[in-house]
Amino acid sequence: MSHTITVHHGDASVQLDAGATALQALKALEAIRGAIVAAELTTTDGTRSEWDLDRPVPDGATVAPVYADTEQGRAILRHSTAHLMAQAVTDLFPGAKWAIGPPIEDGFYYDFDVPAPFTPEDLERIEARMHELARERQRYVREEVPQPAARQEFADQPYKIEIMDLVDDGTILSAVDTAAPDAPSGTAAGEGDRPATEPTFTVYRNVRDLDDGSTEVAWSDLCRGPHVPSTERIPAFKLLRSAGAYWRGREDQPMLQRIYGTAWESKKALQAHLELLEEARKRDHRKLGRDLELTHHPDELGPGLSIFLPNGALVRKQMEDWIRDETLARGYQPVYTPHVAKEDLWRISGHLENYGELMYPGMELDDAGAAYRLKPMNCPFHILAFTSRTRSYRELPLRIAELGTVYRYERSGVVNGMLRARGFTQDDSHIFCRADQVVDEVVGCIAFARDLYAAFGLGEPSRVAVSTRPEGKSIGTDEQWAYAEKALMEAAERSGYDYQVDAGEGAFYGPKIDIHARDAIGREWQLTTIQVDFNLPERFDITYVGDDGQRHRPFMVHRALFGSIERFFAVMVESFNGAFPTWLAPEQVRVLPVADEFDGYATEVADRLRAAGVRVHVEVADATLGNRIREAQTSKVPYTLVVGGSEAEAGTVAVRPYHGPQRKDVALAVFVTEVAEEIATKGVDDAGPDDAGVHASGEDLDA
RNA sequence: GCUGGAGUAGCUCAGUCGGUAGAGCAAUCGCCUCGUAAGCGAUAGGUCAGGGGUUCGAGUCCCCUCUCCAGCUCCA
């Protein structure tokens, strides 16, 4: 080994004494352009890893700074903040056992085993303690500890011991990875992966520098790292809430107390994030549903059930009209089926066996000779439609479609507004086809879904995932699974969607491809689902007659593009912030006469618009104009027309769009043509997920 | 289902130490009537989520249930 090393950054190289740290290397390379939290290092063998700034770099490495204001940098500083929080909890709650504390999107959490759950006051105390500790300028010091010593050090931390048991090859993965112990072991950090002759665990110690020049270990945690060099590099953080969370995410494991927090590269960024959360809260579909009189969820109705009020119903009608028209145009055949059926039907389908606890209980009817059940799915009915007579291969693919309302007795804790409901309507279809038709059918479904997202202004989905065969319980042969999984991936590729594979996340009866979108507070919800099913064709013993005159078993493709109309509606409301594009808006135009002597002209304007198919309403001059304009704006009506003497005389209107600038003296005929055209083309340009909620001056006044 | 938080008028909220319920907006009625985000006045509106308990007295304290919110788990 030489006494000097060479390190690189871009085209630059520099020689340093052996043992030089990443920070020294970056300084020497003049690579630092802003606040950094760590380094990213590529070794001569091409391995890339994140690296502590105070950690010596190996010879030949390429070093790059990780800036605080990047997602990568924030993850590191959030991880370090999680350690700081755990230290504060340990100080304030002696004996607390700590589990895992990873960074997550927009923040971090840490799980603790404590005798009593944290109260909101506890969180305030913990946060205050964190600020005290941060002011001590504690350093984060990395140390590799031999296995036995590590086990001894954390002997009173049963969760840490369990983590060590799970990764006993000496490689401490990130805390996220240890939460999923069956995750494959990835690359270990740097020197850590020396041959396993002396396995070590990485421990990070928070170290205080005392006034007398000595040092003191304040707190230590088993951790892969990396971390910021010092608590000084944590400029802004806030604890948000606490909640229970099962250890290792399993219901049969103890429930720990999780504290969520967020940390940012500056106080300003933290403030901006908190304001964003506040704005998101105002977009909640339940709040907007109330304010805009879209939906109603009275207690008398029951959890997870919705009433669509006239405004919401008009939006929903546009959704339903669109999907019905498109479904017919794409060769589907409509059916209608009932909401209840004999229990036996769900015995045959297997739903009772597999999902019985999530179905509403049976209705015992004395004179019916059998119990009846509310339907949790539409598929058995569509199969009965298929088997209404002998089917020929010439009819395949046979696509049966329905807007089918289903009822699932979801566990009480999971019901969530209209996003997770107990009664909801699927734009459900079942495609019966030959094996060789599956790919084309799935491709067709995905293309259909693409058109739907474009039409309703949701843009690109947050995630597209192909879910493959689950471990353990699943039916079907290896060949069937392999074929269907390949078909779905091929279809996803051909569709142009950037998809990911969710290994083992398929249904027991077949793989699926799902399209997800986010709600106002960033949670992902499955909207579109397309599934290949080998189960039901077997269970119902359905067949078609092939060109060989023999009976063959068809494949079934289940698909729902909105998924749940209620859920899609909720996501859309939040995405548009209640300000629907004109073609979807319940009330498209509101006409305001400036004084009641112009009520007549206002009515005339409204009649012209109504004749052109526009949903229009006149708000007569009982209140002041200012009051009625405010009302129209808070109702998010796309167009408000103001008419008075000059308009009546000239046959014009003054147009005040919800989005965009006002226009005066627009000829009525011109406006009617424009708005009718906009509605006919189902334009979504003026609104959308990105700009909804940021126009509308003074919109927040309605708080 | 589990953990925590919450529930007062249609909505948003106040309600002190336990002393019998309050505001703004909305609604209704009246006055006002030519110009781009709240005109003025009056009236009405409550089983304080429901039930039980403690107390002379409970919106307030205790217990149970329901519902909602966030998270965990689950999601055909």
Side-chain angles (χ1 to χ4, degrees):
Chain A
M1 270 250 187
S2 67
H3 293 287
T4 61
I5 58 169
T6 309
V7 292
H8 313 277
H9 177 73
D11 295 335
S13 294
V14 70
Q15 281 210 332
L16 296 167
D17 291 337
T21 65
L23 181 61
Q24 287 165 341
L26 287 170
K27 279 183 176 166
L29 288 159
E30 297 181 356
I32 302 172
R33 300 279 178 276
I36 59 173
V37 292
E40 190 172 72
L41 185 139
T42 310
T43 51
T44 46
D45 65 0
T47 309
R48 234 173 136 95
S49 37
E50 292 178 338
W51 210 259
D52 296 290
L53 288 172
D54 291 341
R55 187 173 170 192
V57 293
D59 189 22
T62 298
V63 192
V66 175
Y67 292 105
D69 62 354
T70 61
E71 277 313 302
Q72 188 185 8
R74 288 184 193 118
I76 290 166
L77 87 85
R78 284 165 187 159
H79 191 184
S80 301
T81 313
H83 277 219
L84 189 66
M85 179 172 79
Q87 185 186 157
V89 168
T90 310
D91 281 2
L92 296 171
F93 302 86
K97 311 295 182 209
W98 56 94
I100 60 168
I104 52 173
E105 189 172 352
D106 289 340
F108 63 87
Y109 67 80
Y110 211 118
D111 286 346
F112 303 97
D113 189 350
V114 282
F118 298 110
T119 64
E121 294 72 35
D122 290 339
L123 258 57
E124 284 174 29
R125 287 170 58 216
I126 294 165
E127 190 174 305
R129 181 66 185 146
M130 287 170 70
H131 283 291
E132 287 171 20
L133 295 171
R135 277 194 291 273
E136 293 178 0
R137 301 181 176 190
Q138 295 181 6
R139 287 180 289 123
Y140 288 78
V141 178
R142 182 178 191 276
E143 184 180 335
E144 286 180 29
V145 180
Q147 272 226 42
R151 284 179 185 278
Q152 201 175 346
E153 179 173 352
F154 292 99
D156 62 347
Q157 289 292 340
Y159 301 100
K160 296 297 173 188
I161 296 294
E162 200 172 327
I163 291 168
M164 287 191 240
D165 291 341
L166 292 167
V167 285
D168 58 5
D169 65 348
T171 303
I172 282 296
L173 302 174
S174 74
V176 186
D177 297 334
T178 55
D182 39 9
S185 327
T187 51
E191 309 124 326
D193 35 10
R194 68 181 71 130
T197 49
E198 193 202 20
T200 61
F201 285 115
T202 312
V203 173
Y204 276 82
R205 304 194 188 286
N206 279 65
V207 174
R208 288 187 180 103
D209 294 313
L210 302 178
D211 291 340
D212 63 7
S214 64
T215 61
E216 173 184 81
V217 173
W219 191 75
S220 298
D221 196 7
L222 192 70
C223 178
R224 184 185 64 168
H227 282 281
V228 297
S230 144
T231 53
E232 278 180 283
R233 307 265 183 150
I234 304 175
F237 60 84
K238 183 170 177 54
L239 302 190
L240 298 175
R241 60 176 170 272
S242 64
Y246 298 108
W247 167 236
R248 292 174 61 189
R250 294 201 335 224
E251 224 170 344
D252 59 353
Q253 297 283 329
M255 179 161 274
L256 306 174
Q257 295 304 318
R258 175 171 297 178
I259 301 178
Y260 286 92
T262 188
W264 293 81
E265 69 275 12
S266 66
K267 289 200 166 62
K268 200 175 154 190
L270 171 66
Q271 193 54 37
H273 176 68
L274 296 176
E275 280 164 20
L276 204 71
L277 290 180
E278 185 60 27
E279 285 305 309
R281 209 178 53 78
K282 291 184 190 160
R283 283 182 171 226
D284 188 296
H285 70 277
R286 289 160 292 221
K287 175 175 166 49
L288 289 170
R290 248 198 321 273
D291 293 350
L292 303 175
E293 295 187 46
L294 302 170
T295 52
H296 190 212
H297 304 93
D299 284 354
E300 299 91 312
L301 208 53
L305 303 172
S306 302
I307 286 174
F308 280 78
L309 297 172
N311 286 343
L314 283 167
V315 176
R316 176 171 171 163
K317 180 181 181 297
Q318 299 305 314
M319 298 168 70
E320 295 187 350
D321 287 352
W322 190 93
I323 196 75
R324 279 205 179 97
D325 291 349
E326 285 292 325
T327 309
L328 289 179
R330 294 174 197 237
Y332 289 75
Q333 305 191 37
V335 297
Y336 287 92
T337 69
H339 288 223
V340 295
K342 289 179 186 170
E343 192 168 79
D344 253 358
L345 187 65
W346 281 283
R347 206 160 276 127
I348 297 169
S349 70
H351 288 117
L352 213 48
E353 182 191 333
N354 287 290
Y355 300 101
E357 284 181 6
L358 296 176
M359 289 174 65
Y360 276 90
M363 292 169 256
E364 300 294 341
L365 306 171
D366 287 345
D367 54 353
Y372 280 68
R373 291 277 195 155
L374 276 170
K375 66 171 169 182
M377 290 198 82
N378 301 301
C379 12
F381 297 89
H382 292 184
I383 287 172
L384 296 180
F386 181 87
T387 58
S388 61
R389 64 168 164 76
T390 306
R391 297 291 176 174
S392 154
Y393 73 97
R394 295 173 191 276
E395 294 179 82
L396 306 186
L398 181 65
R399 310 183 186 98
I400 289 176
E402 175 184 22
L403 295 177
T405 304
V406 297
Y407 299 90
R408 300 179 183 177
Y409 192 70
E410 299 280 8
R411 294 211 281 178
S412 61
V414 307
V415 174
N416 191 295
M418 300 174 81
L419 291 163
R420 185 78 179 268
R422 282 182 171 166
F424 59 94
T425 303
Q426 297 176 308
D427 60 312
D428 207 358
S429 178
H430 295 88
I431 302 171
F432 300 86
C433 63
R434 299 191 312 260
D436 61 290
Q437 294 171 323
V438 170
V439 176
D440 282 344
E441 286 308 306
V442 175
V443 167
C445 290
I446 298 176
F448 198 166
R450 259 191 181 286
D451 292 347
L452 178 134
Y453 284 80
F456 290 90
L458 287 196
E460 284 297 300
S462 65
R463 199 162 68 93
V464 177
V466 175
S467 298
T468 58
R469 185 172 197 166
E471 297 286 324
K473 65 157 194 180
S474 70
I475 58 109
T477 65
D478 290 350
E479 291 73 36
Q480 283 176 316
W481 275 93
Y483 181 81
E485 287 174 3
K486 190 164 155 285
L488 286 176
M489 288 184 206
E490 192 183 326
E493 266 153 39
R494 276 169 55 183
S495 73
Y497 270 133
D498 192 11
Y499 71 99
Q500 66 184 67
V501 175
D502 282 358
E505 294 297 314
F508 74 91
Y509 55 72
K512 56 178 184 164
I513 177 165
D514 295 327
I515 301 178
H516 302 254
R518 289 180 187 273
D519 68 8
I521 62 173
R523 294 176 298 202
E524 269 193 346
W525 298 91
Q526 174 199 301
L527 300 179
T528 301
T529 184
I530 302 165
Q531 313 178 344
V532 180
D533 180 3
F534 343 109
N535 180 46
L536 289 177
E538 298 272 347
R539 282 182 172 271
F540 281 89
D541 190 24
I542 61 176
T543 58
Y544 64 92
V545 178
D547 59 0
D548 55 1
Q550 301 297 302
R551 288 185 178 271
H552 298 275
R553 179 130 301 154
F555 268 72
M556 252 177 96
V557 176
H558 305 235
R559 52 109 286 199
L561 303 183
F562 284 126
S564 148
I565 289 188
E566 283 78 355
R567 176 181 289 179
F568 196 100
F569 176 89
V571 168
M572 205 165 66
V573 167
E574 298 191 359
S575 166
F576 287 126
N577 198 13
F580 294 102
T582 309
W583 77 281
L584 284 170
E587 180 183 349
Q588 296 166 319
V589 177
R590 186 173 297 183
V591 188
L592 309 181
V594 298
D596 52 14
E597 71 178 277
F598 304 107
D599 286 357
Y601 180 62
T603 306
E604 206 178 296
V605 168
D607 288 344
R608 285 278 296 279
L609 285 160
R610 200 169 292 115
V614 178
R615 293 186 289 275
V616 57
H617 166 76
V618 177
E619 187 68 34
V620 297
D622 281 342
T624 59
L625 182 62
N627 179 287
R628 285 173 293 144
I629 284 173
R630 179 170 191 278
E631 182 97 345
Q633 290 295 120
T634 55
S635 304
K636 312 199 183 200
V637 178
Y639 293 101
T640 302
L641 304 183
V642 176
V643 294
S646 55
E647 286 82 4
E649 214 168 289
T652 60
V653 293
V655 183
R656 186 187 171 114
Y658 185 77
H659 299 287
Q662 297 176 35
R663 288 187 295 157
K664 299 206 163 160
D665 305 320
V666 179
L668 176 56
V670 169
F671 178 74
V672 171
T673 308
E674 277 179 12
V675 73
E677 170 75 6
E678 185 190 347
I679 292 165
T681 56
K682 299 180 169 39
V684 291
D685 293 347
D686 274 0
D690 293 329
D691 60 358
V694 295
H695 330 245
S697 55
E699 179 177 51
D700 296 333
L701 292 174
D702 50 350

